[in-house]
Amino acid sequence: MKKTILTITAAMAALCSSAQTMTLKECLQQGVSDSYQVQLVRIQEEKSANTDSWSYAGGMPTVSLSGSYSGSLSSTDYTIKSDGSTLSSRDVLDHTLNASLRADWTVFDGFSIRSTRDRMEELHNQGTIQTRVTIEDYIASLASEYYNLVKQTIHLKNLEYATALSKERLRIVSERYDMGGDSRLDLQQAQVYFNQDSAQSLKQHEALASANIRINRLMSNRDLRAVHQAADTAITLIEGLDYESLLEDMMRTNSSLLRAESNLTIAKLDRKTVQARNYPYLKVNAAYGYTYNIYGNSTYSDRNNWGPSFGATMGINLVTGKQRVQERNAILDELNADVTIDQLELQLRANLDDFWQAYQNNLLLLELQEQNLLTAQETMDIAQERYLLGNLSGLEMREAQKSLLDAEESLLQAQYDTKICEISLLQISGRILQYME
């Protein structure tokens, strides 16, 4: 059993030694560049950029080039009125060729083109905001997984340290047993504790592998078994976070709030587009055409006709059945977007307060866990000295060892929970991008 544990541990150590060491910034830079999720939203942003133009809004002339051919095969009988005689023509083939270059331009349509152009511009802006929302969500997710990897790595080291202590204790008990100092029961207990700690250490390797798989999936790495090693050996926190500055940044740069404000702008532009139908419209057109006729039975064998043509159309919609309903609904859509902003602001403030309260509580808990770890470490040092002198039983030694491991894990969990609160605060305040700086 002991040989099997050592073999598996050695294999895990060899795998970790080939791991790629990456900082959080490096992970984020590679992830934002390669992530399928980010690539998809950037494609949508590019599509919205393509529609951000006067021509797409209908403000530019449309030019078309057309050509046509037609032919007719006819037979005709003519009756002369004066004498009643009949003239006939059979299988007369006529040809007509047409070619035209035409331009149409809507000069004015009640400011509809202008509002449509502004709407396309705002949709482009909204696409940029959506890209930012996606990137911020992605950074928050990947940062959380990165620090989870740090946490799992530290947890493994804690378990390996506990295993090393159990191994040393097993060695001491074995020597004492050989010398007749300890009973076989003490030896068996020491072996059981060593096996338990070794099993937990092996199990933690599995948790560490799962953390790597999640990071590979987030980074869109096709090699899901690629092993990453966090450059950070501890979970460190950003100092100087202030509630008032977080609140100010949130109200000014929060992506969800910016998107809601963009929706309000679009609703206002939609209302202008509907109301534009109450104004007159003016359309102009110009063309240059060429027509060539070939006559099968006529005074003329053929005819050429060419030259420009032009025109203008002015009008106004007097009665439209759905116009008033559409105007009222457009006003309601604008009101709905405005209320949504108020609702979102309240929700964001509530979320910020929740995250801030959890962050402050975790900071206090972190101080307590740090003090508890110092006490547990001192207790363990004393217990080891007494155990070596034979003044402490194996069960008491095990209890001191377990207390130290529990203190280490409690501190690690408190550090991780505080870091998650920090990530949430930076995300809701629009500061999450600073992890890439």
Side-chain angles (χ1 to χ4, degrees), residues 116 169 194 217:
T116 301
R169 181 186 168 199
F194 173 70
R217 180 183 60 81

Side-chain angles (χ1 to χ4, degrees), residues 333-346:
D333 288 340
E334 184 178 341
L335 178 61
N336 179 76
D338 196 16
V339 173
T340 299
I341 291 177
D342 294 336
Q343 181 187 33
L344 181 58
E345 287 180 352
L346 183 62

Side-chain angles (χ1 to χ4, degrees), residues 366 369-370 373 406-416:
L366 193 56
Q369 296 298 348
E370 288 173 347
L373 179 59
D406 290 343
E408 291 172 337
E409 293 308 305
S410 296
L411 175 60
L412 181 59
Q413 187 63 46
Q415 290 173 334
Y416 180 72

Side-chain angles (χ1 to χ4, degrees), residues 22-150:
M22 299 183 70
T23 63
L24 174 60
K25 181 179 178 179
E26 291 172 340
C27 284
L28 293 175
Q29 288 176 338
Q30 180 178 333
V32 170
S33 174
D34 298 342
S35 169
Y36 297 135
Q37 180 182 0
V38 177
Q39 289 181 41
L40 289 173
V41 75
R42 279 179 170 161
I43 291 173
Q44 294 302 316
E45 180 185 0
E46 187 173 351
K47 287 177 63 177
S48 64
N50 291 336
T51 62
D52 184 9
S53 64
W54 274 105
S55 59
Y56 193 85
M60 302 297 291
T62 59
V63 180
S64 60
L65 178 65
S66 62
S68 65
Y69 163 79
S70 62
S72 64
L73 183 65
S74 61
S75 298
T76 308
D77 291 329
Y78 300 93
T79 301
I80 299 176
K81 187 175 182 180
S82 61
D83 58 7
S85 61
T86 302
L87 298 177
S88 300
S89 61
R90 296 289 182 265
D91 299 328
V92 177
L93 181 60
D94 294 330
H95 304 271
T96 302
L97 297 173
N98 283 300
S100 175
L101 179 65
R102 180 182 177 89
D104 294 274
W105 184 25
T106 301
V107 179
F108 179 76
D109 65 345
F111 307 104
S112 176
I113 294 177
R114 178 68 201 185
S115 58
T116 301
R117 170 68 179 87
D118 292 342
R119 190 179 193 275
M120 295 299 103
E121 184 177 4
E122 190 59 38
L123 286 174
H124 182 194
N125 177 54
Q126 195 171 82
T128 303
I129 294 174
Q130 183 59 46
T131 299
R132 179 181 167 184
V133 169
T134 302
I135 291 177
E136 288 181 347
D137 289 344
Y138 177 79
I139 290 176
S141 299
L142 186 53
S144 298
E145 285 300 336
Y146 176 85
Y147 284 107
N148 178 59
L149 180 64
V150 175

Side-chain angles (χ1 to χ4, degrees), residues 406-432:
D406 290 343
E408 291 172 337
E409 293 308 305
S410 296
L411 175 60
L412 181 59
Q413 187 63 46
Q415 290 173 334
Y416 180 72
D417 291 343
T418 309
K419 192 66 181 181
I420 295 302
C421 289
E422 176 192 289
I423 292 172
S424 299
L425 286 171
L426 293 181
Q427 183 179 11
I428 198 173
S429 64
R431 297 186 189 177
I432 194 71

